[in-house]
Amino acid sequence: ASDVGIVLYRPRMADNVGGVARAMANFGFDRMVIADPATYHFDTRTAVKAEHVVEQAYIARTFEEAVAPFTWVCGTTSRTIRRRVALSPREMAEEAFRRVQAGGTACIVLGSENHGLTDADIERCDAICRIDTSEEQPSINLAQAAAILCYELHVAQREARPPRQKAEMATREAVDRLMDFSREALLDAGFLNPQQPHHILAELRRLLVRAEPTKREVELLTAAVKQVQRSLVPVPRRKGDPRGGA
């Protein structure tokens, strides 16, 4: 199931990495990405019969590098996020494999053991997933969370039916490139607040990802935005704009 990956962002404890690997292997998944870990010495003893998952894991330096190859990024959180609808593990799994059926790839991001994903991390995710637990004991460890998510992914994978034809979907890296060019063009056009452009851009990104664009479509949009920017006469920048306002 290389179309679906599990991303561990800033894991703190080496044995938890092994526990997640074991949970992944239990349900037939082996694409692990480890981003900015506290240690690079991972204990494979806890990865019972899943040592290969840890040994073959891709080590990324940043969040962006970790999720770049995927077309859909779902972050996990135990918190309620304002203006964001959280998927259940089952809804997340169904959506992940619906996108895989259409030719895409998906990754599920798990944050550090002590703090999870920050608001800024969540903002960079296309969707969020929350595991509902008892109010008396809401805390679950990293491996437990991975097991629940991987089980639901396993069930969704078995029920998924491949389409007759697949298009090559745009990767996260391609969408990021489009958003970088869009940011500059929208700043030049005076549409974005130079001091806080990120919130609007994040909403535009999520809108784009919901449309499930193909690689070709994102390439066309990128070319169009670049052409529009070349023809713009930039509006005067407001004070505080890092690009040179008055």
Side-chain angles (χ1 to χ4, degrees), residues 114-136:
N114 53 349
H115 299 302
L117 297 177
T118 65
D119 288 343
D121 300 330
I122 290 292
E123 188 89 326
R124 293 183 283 185
C125 296
D126 304 318
I128 56 175
C129 174
R130 185 171 61 242
I131 300 173
D132 285 331
T133 53
S134 168
E135 292 183 1
E136 287 73 22

Side-chain angles (χ1 to χ4, degrees), residues 20-190:
V20 172
R22 181 179 183 180
M24 291 173 62
N26 284 151
F27 299 105
F29 299 96
D30 59 11
R31 187 174 180 180
M32 174 184 277
V33 180
I34 305 171
D36 193 17
T39 176
Y40 290 88
H41 300 287
F42 307 116
D43 187 355
T44 58
R45 290 176 296 180
T46 56
V48 183
K49 296 184 179 180
E51 295 87 350
H52 64 286
V53 177
V54 179
E55 291 166 355
Q56 296 171 10
Y58 180 82
I59 309 299
R61 291 171 296 178
T62 64
F63 184 98
E64 289 78 8
E65 182 185 357
V67 303
F70 300 95
T71 61
W72 188 66
V73 179
C74 183
T76 57
T77 181
S78 61
R79 299 180 291 122
T80 298
I81 307 298
R82 187 168 175 260
R83 296 181 180 175
R84 299 289 299 272
V85 176
L87 303 175
S88 70
R90 183 153 302 176
E91 291 169 333
M92 173 279 298
E94 290 172 350
E95 179 64 12
F97 275 99
R98 188 185 69 76
R99 289 174 177 270
V100 168
Q101 284 179 307
T105 55
C107 71
I108 316 304
V109 185
L110 294 161
S112 65
E113 296 91 330
N114 53 349
H115 299 302
L117 297 177
T118 65
D119 288 343
D121 300 330
I122 290 292
E123 188 89 326
R124 293 183 283 185
C125 296
D126 304 318
I128 56 175
C129 174
R130 185 171 61 242
I131 300 173
D132 285 331
T133 53
S134 168
E135 292 183 1
E136 287 73 22
Q137 174 52 293
S139 175
I140 57 177
N141 68 33
L142 203 59
Q144 288 174 318
I148 292 169
L149 299 170
C150 287
Y151 167 75
E152 293 294 353
L153 288 165
H154 175 67
V155 172
Q157 182 181 33
R158 287 189 305 178
E159 296 176 352
R161 295 181 180 179
R164 294 180 182 177
Q165 184 176 2
K166 289 185 177 182
E168 184 177 1
M169 308 304 289
T171 64
R172 174 63 176 240
E173 186 176 20
V175 173
D176 280 347
R177 191 180 307 114
L178 168 59
M179 297 309 297
D180 286 342
F181 284 116
S182 299
R183 177 183 184 278
E184 298 308 311
L186 293 173
L187 282 170
D188 284 347

